[in-house]
Amino acid sequence: MRAPPSTVRASKLVTNAVAVKSETASIAATKSGHELLLFEALREGLEEEMERDPRVCVLGEDVGHYGGSYKVTKGLAEKFGDLRVLDTPIAENSFTGMAVGAAMTGLRPIVEGMNMGFLLLAYNQISNNCGMLHYTSGGQFTIPVVIRGPGGVGRQLGAEHSQRLESYFQSVPGLQMVACSTPYNAKGLMKAAIRSENPVILCEHVLLYNLKERIPDEEYVCCLERAELVRPGKDVTILTYSRMRHHVLQAAKSLINKGYDPEIIDIISLKPFDLHTIGNSIKKTHKVLIVEECMRTGGIGASLRASIMDNFWDYLDAPIMCLSSQDVPTPYAGTLEEATVVQPPQIVKAIKQLCG
Amino acid sequence: MNDFMGRKVSYSSQMCFIPEESTNSVPCYRLLSTHGDLLDPSSINELDKELCIEMYRKMVTLQVMDTIFYDAQRQGRISFYVTTIGEEAINIGSAAALNATDVVFSQYREPGVLMWRGFTLQQFANQCYGNEYDLGKGRQMPVHYGSNELNYLTVSSPIATQVPQAVGAAYGLKMDKKDACAVTYFGDGGTSEGDFHAGMNFAAVLGAPVLFICRNNGWAISTPTSEQFRSDGVAIKGQAYGVRSIRVDGNDALAVYFAVKNARKMAVEEFRPILIEALTYRVGHHSTSDDSSKYRSVDEIEYWRTRRDPVARLRMFLQSNRWWDDENEDLLRQDLRTQMMSVLHNAESKKKPGLSNLFEDVYDVIPQNLKEQEQETQAIVGKYPKDYPSDVPLD
């Protein structure tokens, strides 16, 4: 059954925003380098770290011989063995607990949640132990775990599989949290997260796994606490992360045609915020638009707004605008689902409103 | 016999339900009678006199330490305490059977294991007072001990969270092929948590060298075991996961010792988990925030405290073999009391950790936002010192 034209056009817009490769202009790509998809970049980072340090291991459902639900661990069990790429029974709280125990006794585990939403089951271990035990043990025990998995709204995956858990984890003390959005930063952040002595949550997005980009052949590691300046500009600061980065870039094409000059920052680090990069931008543009996939209430945007007001109030010429998803569970119906995710036309409209 | 997913299945046209209860309950292993007599007198030859005496001394130390700390809490000298009264045999018996390199993940009623490994009375006191010598830097409640050096992971209150963590540590030991196992302790109540179920299952599937030691002490705060589970205790649950298990008299220090020793050997040599259910009784209240006479009879408590005391039981055994006498007893208890008084006084007189400890170790390196919060806090406390405790240094 064919969908009516307006819906087809809207679908096309969303598809482009996901698959765009030329917009990821922030890295100095070498002439050589190699092209790969985001999930392969994650795997490359993981594999390099597993080769470099024998203590690095992966735990999760179907990560071993199946290669992971999104193929991030494909081939690793064959290469490193069943113990280093461990298939676990279905008990998220418990394999996260296992990772905490293994980390405290010398390993560097990476926990893969098949979907970030399932990690809600692991919240007890993540909040009560992962973020806490380094502190409560007086610094005696470290927990260098990486907890990663796909989140965000996909394509009709249903409410339970379309959650944005970054907002739930952001107030847990002791955790660090980053969100990758391109193959370049996915690999770099994976490596940085594994090398970090702190527990790090690496948020991936279910619709970005097939994003293609050319990345350097030489080894590189991204900084966990640094935001990425995607496009310099002077009219307005647009802060975004994960998939919404691509929606913003899509909207930017239209905005630039209309004569606007937006500065686009992919915040990357969700906890803590890179207020240095963000602040420098605000001091230049004096206007902020936040574009996120989280819900309006208690989302990353909500706390980013508070941070900006606390620190850069004097530099703002207008109230901070924030485009988020509504406070509703993600519906299954495709048209409704699309309406809960911020789309490029909304972003264009918001900039016009903000900048005049 | 046919195969189904690798398992042999035997079919039968007799419809037969597995009964919810077996006619014979799981047998309980014990070596000493309740009066301290060896049930098999010839087994004396397998006992090491020095080890038995040392185990007894530590059990008495634990008992005395508990009594004095409990009183200290009642006097307002420390804020909170959890006693191990009645469970000294499990604590010391199991600790003596482990190696120093075995990694321990406890619940909160197992300080005897730490004590056996060398944690001093002063160190216990420093943690309870949360002073600047506390290894935990004053960040946890009393009895939430932890020592990297002694391979005892810092206690975390939520029930049974340590169970899968122990499995994770055992997994690491297996990968590194170390001659060590992980050990985790929990109560009867802890076996109701999802983490217990999944931890047992994981350990069995992984072939992880881990000991699951359940202190079945009859009570989970006010919930008796009859309301906690309907199975024949905890040992029976082992087979459901494919885990070898044993039930032992938890108030018989020698039985606990030998059961754990054998279990450890199996775990390390065969790469398998072992479940040990130690039957005992929680003589004390759940904690200093509890008054257990509200939900159980004082007679029951008194019976277990006076007639089934694991410390007295081992003493009777030692004394009947002339390995110990009343004079040793009096000297030991007197010495311990003196030590404890001095230890309390010392701990009390030490400074509390400075304010900077509030912000350190949240991460490996203090981030900018926490530095700012630290400065704000220091400024406020510095400006209104009368509204804040006087014994907390500003830095």
Side-chain angles (χ1 to χ4, degrees):
Chain A
M1 193 161 81
R2 295 209 52 193
S6 59
T7 317
V8 169
R9 201 174 305 131
S11 318
K12 269 211 182 111
L13 206 61
V14 169
T15 313
N16 282 349
V18 168
V20 149
K21 63 175 175 182
S22 56
E23 305 299 330
T24 56
S26 58
I27 16 90
T30 52
K31 263 207 171 148
S32 46
H34 55 288
E35 237 182 20
L36 45 49
L37 305 181
L38 194 145
F39 80 89
E40 290 168 332
L42 286 168
R43 190 199 319 134
E44 215 174 77
L46 183 48
E47 194 171 346
E48 281 175 20
E49 292 305 297
M50 287 181 81
E51 268 166 9
R52 179 179 172 267
D53 186 344
R55 299 170 301 167
V56 178
C57 53
V58 184
L59 293 95
E61 294 153 14
D62 302 306
V63 298
H65 294 281
Y66 186 69
S69 301
Y70 292 93
K71 301 291 172 252
V72 173
T73 53
K74 185 157 184 245
L76 297 182
E78 285 80 16
K79 183 169 178 184
F80 295 105
D82 286 338
L83 278 188
R84 281 187 78 192
V85 187
L86 188 67
D87 272 329
T88 62
I90 309 175
E92 284 76 6
N93 199 44
S94 305
F95 62 69
T96 306
M98 267 184 72
V100 171
M104 290 196 287
T105 49
L107 291 183
R108 303 188 76 88
I110 295 139
V111 175
E112 174 171 310
M114 190 183 283
N115 185 285
M116 275 305 217
F118 303 164
L119 291 181
L120 283 171
L121 288 151
Y123 209 90
N124 186 13
Q125 289 284 352
I126 294 173
S127 178
N128 270 325
N129 289 323
C130 200
M132 260 186 217
L133 276 162
H134 183 239
Y135 185 76
T136 58
S137 69
Q140 291 185 87
F141 300 100
T142 55
I143 305 166
V145 297
V146 176
I147 296 171
R148 49 160 292 270
V153 178
R155 288 236 194 292
Q156 296 189 268
L157 296 178
E160 300 94 335
H161 296 64
S162 310
Q163 305 208 58
R164 282 78 87 196
L165 251 57
E166 53 268 24
S167 58
Y168 299 9
F169 291 128
Q170 66 175 315
S171 39
V172 178
L175 297 181
Q176 257 190 282
M177 191 162 45
V178 292
C180 63
S181 51
T182 65
Y184 180 82
N185 63 39
K187 177 176 176 183
L189 291 171
M190 170 73 91
K191 288 169 75 85
I194 293 170
R195 294 186 193 189
S196 169
E197 291 307 310
N198 298 313
V200 178
I201 308 221
L202 170 56
C203 299
E204 299 155 16
H205 197 287
V206 72
L207 289 182
L208 294 182
Y209 282 130
N210 291 327
L211 203 59
K212 192 191 285 192
E213 188 182 4
R214 180 169 288 274
I215 66 170
D217 288 329
E218 317 83 65
E219 191 182 29
Y220 68 92
V221 181
C222 289
C223 176
L224 289 175
E225 297 89 8
R226 196 175 308 141
E228 211 180 295
L229 177 61
V230 183
R231 180 192 188 277
K234 51 181 184 7
D235 286 350
V236 58
T237 299
I238 305 181
L239 303 172
T240 184
Y241 66 96
S242 189
R243 181 166 169 241
M244 290 299 104
R245 166 197 181 124
H246 302 281
H247 276 204
V248 166
L249 289 170
Q250 186 72 11
K253 281 193 215 166
S254 175
L255 287 168
I256 292 161
N257 283 342
K258 293 178 169 40
Y260 293 95
D261 186 23
E263 178 149 291
I264 300 172
I265 294 176
D266 183 336
I267 64 175
I268 301 284
S269 178
L270 306 182
K271 184 177 168 74
F273 293 132
D274 177 5
L275 291 179
H276 181 77
T277 306
I278 293 170
N280 282 342
S281 179
I282 295 173
K283 287 173 188 173
K284 190 169 46 160
T285 68
H286 311 294
K287 294 182 208 68
V288 183
L289 171 68
I290 300 169
V291 180
E292 61 167 350
E293 219 175 281
C294 271
M295 276 73 83
R296 165 64 33 131
T297 302
I300 296 288
S303 70
L304 186 52
R305 248 172 163 167
S307 261
I308 293 172
M309 288 216 293
D310 278 348
N311 290 284
F312 309 116
W313 172 263
D314 290 329
Y315 297 97
L316 292 170
D317 282 348
I320 305 163
M321 276 190 82
C322 183
L323 295 177
S324 339
S325 294
Q326 304 84 338
D327 292 321
V328 298
T330 309
Y332 173 78
T335 45
L336 293 179
E337 180 182 74
E338 229 167 73
T340 73
V341 176
V342 176
Q343 301 296 343
Q346 265 174 282
I347 302 170
V348 173
K349 176 164 170 251
I351 295 296
K352 283 186 183 166
Q353 206 177 320
L354 201 47
C355 296
Chain B
M1 294 270 205
N2 296 301
D3 271 351
F4 181 69
M5 296 295 288
R7 283 196 163 270
K8 292 244 181 288
V9 180
S10 64
Y11 296 96
S12 158
S13 55
Q14 271 283 80
M15 177 156 57
C16 187
F17 284 79
I18 305 175
E20 67 277 13
E21 220 173 287
S22 163
T23 34
N24 305 313
S25 98
V26 173
C28 184
Y29 174 67
R30 69 157 47 156
L31 290 173
L32 292 175
S33 74
T34 46
H35 299 291
D37 303 310
L38 269 180
L39 293 173
D40 171 14
S42 71
S43 60
I44 188 96
N45 302 319
E46 290 160 46
L47 299 177
D48 181 306
K49 176 181 169 192
E50 294 314 315
L51 181 63
C52 290
I53 295 173
E54 188 52 29
M55 276 171 52
Y56 178 70
R57 293 179 70 95
K58 284 287 184 295
M59 283 167 69
V60 173
T61 309
L62 180 53
Q63 199 180 55
V64 172
M65 178 180 89
D66 266 356
T67 311
I68 293 182
F69 273 136
Y70 183 85
D71 289 342
Q73 193 278 343
R74 282 297 179 247
Q75 293 162 20
R77 293 168 81 175
I78 56 175
S79 59
F80 174 79
Y81 194 70
V82 169
T83 63
T84 306
I85 307 284
E87 301 181 51
E88 296 89 348
I90 297 178
N91 268 243
I92 303 298
S94 64
L98 300 172
N99 286 9
T101 49
D102 294 332
V103 193
V104 176
F105 289 80
S106 60
Q107 182 66 75
Y108 45 62
R109 221 181 284 279
E110 302 89 5
V113 179
L114 202 46
M115 182 185 277
W116 180 267
R117 289 181 169 195
F119 210 63
T120 65
L121 293 175
Q122 189 65 66
Q123 284 178 301
F124 282 112
N126 289 339
Q127 197 280 334
C128 287
Y129 275 92
N131 64 33
E132 58 176 345
Y133 290 94
D134 169 26
L135 291 177
K137 300 184 187 164
R139 293 174 188 147
Q140 259 290 14
M141 295 173 81
V143 311
H144 288 63
Y145 314 110
S147 165
N148 199 352
E149 197 194 348
L150 300 177
N151 288 314
Y152 189 98
L153 275 289
T154 302
V155 173
S156 172
S157 323
I159 301 293
T161 50
Q162 72 278 12
V163 177
Q165 289 172 10
V167 180
Y171 155 70
L173 291 172
K174 181 174 176 168
M175 269 219 278
D176 291 340
K177 298 189 174 63
K178 291 232 167 85
D179 174 21
C181 66
V183 186
T184 179
Y185 295 83
F186 45 89
D188 38 284
T191 66
S192 292
E193 280 284 353
D195 272 349
F196 166 75
H197 152 81
M200 287 277 284
N201 193 37
F202 272 70
V205 169
L206 269 180
V210 52
L211 302 185
F212 294 98
I213 302 182
C214 176
R215 295 175 293 96
N216 183 344
N217 64 18
W219 293 92
I221 308 190
S222 67
T223 308
T225 44
S226 55
E227 284 168 32
Q228 193 68 250
F229 39 66
R230 284 296 153 87
S231 54
D232 171 20
V234 174
I236 192 115
K237 296 184 204 258
Q239 199 173 60
Y241 297 104
V243 174
R244 192 173 294 169
S245 58
I246 188 170
R247 167 176 284 168
V248 63
D249 181 344
N251 286 8
D252 176 349
L254 300 183
V256 172
Y257 172 80
F258 281 107
V260 172
K261 200 149 182 74
N262 275 291
R264 187 198 174 275
K265 188 164 190 287
M266 284 189 261
V268 173
E269 289 175 9
E270 297 171 48
F271 288 112
R272 59 166 67 250
I274 310 280
L275 169 64
I276 298 162
E277 177 187 16
L279 299 183
T280 181
Y281 187 82
R282 193 197 78 208
V283 172
H285 306 301
H286 166 71
S287 72
T288 48
S289 307
D290 175 46
D291 173 8
S292 59
S293 63
K294 288 208 163 78
Y295 50 78
R296 55 183 187 174
S297 87
V298 175
D299 289 340
E300 180 187 289
I301 306 172
E302 274 312 291
Y303 166 75
W304 281 90
R305 195 180 65 78
T306 54
R307 308 277 287 282
R308 303 284 292 269
D309 176 15
V311 181
R313 189 167 169 188
L314 189 62
R315 181 168 83 239
M316 283 189 268
F317 164 72
L318 291 178
Q319 295 201 248
S320 69
N321 281 291
R322 307 236 202 298
W323 290 355
W324 190 258
D325 59 36
D326 287 343
E327 202 188 315
N328 297 136
E329 183 77 13
D330 292 337
L331 270 170
L332 176 63
R333 286 192 182 260
Q334 222 165 353
D335 180 50
L336 285 171
R337 285 199 85 85
T338 314
Q339 270 187 63
M340 279 303 296
M341 288 304 140
S342 146
V343 142
L344 278 184
H345 178 74
N346 258 327
E348 231 162 30
S349 65
K350 295 286 180 291
K351 282 194 303 179
K352 298 291 186 233
L355 210 54
S356 63
N357 279 285
L358 186 57
F359 301 94
E360 277 163 12
D361 297 326
V362 180
Y363 297 99
D364 56 345
V365 173
I366 183 170
Q368 187 57 32
N369 64 328
L370 285 186
K371 272 200 200 138
E372 285 167 19
Q373 291 174 19
E374 182 179 2
Q375 279 157 10
E376 279 167 29
T377 311
Q378 277 172 336
I380 291 273
V381 176
K383 192 167 177 195
Y384 304 103
K386 291 205 180 67
D387 292 320
Y388 291 90
S390 55
D391 57 349
V392 178
L394 263 189
D395 53 19

